Amino acid sequence: MGKADIAVIGMDVMGRSLALNMESRGYTVAVYNRTAEKTKIFAETMAKGKNIIPTYDLKELVDALKSPKKIMLMVKEGQPVDSFIESLLEYLKTGDLIIDGGNSFFKDTIRRNKTLAEKGILFIGTGVSGGEEGALKGPAIMPGGQKQAYDLIEKIFKDISAKAYDGEPCVDYMGPDGAGHFVKTIHNGIEYGDMQLIGEVVWFFTNVGMKADEIADIMAKWNEKDDILRSYLIEITADSMKQKHQDSDEFLVDRVADITRMKGTGTWTVQSALELLVPIPTIAAAVFSREMSQDKDLRLSMAKKLKISSSRFNGDKKDMVQIAHDALYIAKISSYAQGIALLQAASKTYNFNLNIGRIAKVWRAGCIIRAQFLDEITKAYESNPDLPNLLAAPKFADFVEKNTGKLVRFVEVAHQCGVPALAMSGSLDYILQITSPVMPSAQVSALQRDYFGAHGYFKIGGTSKPELMLNKEGKVREFHTEWLLPGRPEKEITK
Ligand code: NBP
């Protein structure tokens, strides 16, 4: 069989599928797993007769590889990644490459990249999206690390990646050290947002009396060619909602408990947003909703203790479906605008040099958020890389200007019917806030902070002049009121 082109460590769903994918594109792959039994079973079943070399210790794995050695870790994030890196160092030489393809925290990737670079070992931290099927047939791949390291792996990644409808491989160099894992984290955060928004619309339809198969038909229609909502998540919503429960005549969705668990990338997205001062209310709402979903006992008991009044929906269902369609599209644009703003802020802070148009291109196939809508994002940033926010892109701005009333209506009717819509409202309020020259109550809280803590405040030109007051040098002027002195004099703070 000769020496292997690449090694994969971690023979669980993702590692096995990636190894098979690589082999199917003509590469010889060496594999290893901490628990030897999994490697053995893989070699005797799925990998049987294929150019896959099972190995049972790390020296054997490294020896099976051509130089420079390329080793891809597909193991649980955190300590397992550090411990494999530590063990591999004994066998690697300058110029060899370790790739971490798990969902690692980007700051860990920055740290690992630095430590390994000091030892002459190249390191790529990459997002691999698309789950088991994507890994097997073609995932979206988001690698970050030294450009020189990416050059070593580019051909393999291009060969195994998903291909968009125009044939372009869904992989691109994201940027240095943690860039790839950061982009994958935000991809997952956006995915949380998409799932929650769809979930809220479906739950609204259920609450106005629609059956699961009726909703599945609506979703299938929303996934038709050229529909603005057409996407993988709408497609699988339509498909999964038709599924009948095995032991009864009910639909499976009506028997599935309303508990959504999570692994961590959504939480990391929100934590990064807090750190970088970027509001992402839709994605945060999705994380908070999963948290609330998990406390089933509390919700059951609170439902008995508090009776919140609500009205029955007595409008036209057909009209409401059309309203919900456009409302969902606007909410999605708003959510992506938030995720992209976070990518841009991180790009500045961590010098990732991210290219939003190219990131959207990588997400067009293979990954969970794949959608035809992503093409519009690429076009928007290709025609204007300096867009202040996705909502300002002419095509989106036009739709949002004409149709935000539908999102307002959706949130209003959902709330009247007692249906929570945290993410849909988050999307709406994001649009309302970002287009407010003066933020409601922000002025009041600025004054409160100055009153109790002498924290200072800025001033605007007047009620019809919302621009900040500047000094001759163009700097914002800051003021403080002496609240405890007679006459409460105002003074300008000079620093
Ligand atoms: P898991 O995330 O479940 O990890 C299983 C692998 O990690 C096995 O090889 C296991 O070895 C190894 N491992 C564990 Br667990 N603890 C270890 C330790 N202390 N030392 C050494 N090895 C250890 O597998 P997966 O679902 O295939 O995912 C792999 C990576 O890809 C993860 O980072 C995941 O977040 C990411 N990812 C997963 C998906 C997905 O849909 N599943 C999608 C995208 C990305 P063992 O067999 O000896 O226990």
Side-chain angles (χ1 to χ4, degrees), residues 10 12-14 33-35 38 75-76 79 84 102-103 128 131:
D12 222 298
V13 282
M14 293 298 285
N33 193 65
R34 176 184 63 165
T35 309
K38 277 195 198 165
V75 297
K76 191 171 152 42
Q79 182 271 329
F84 271 119
N103 276 340
V128 177

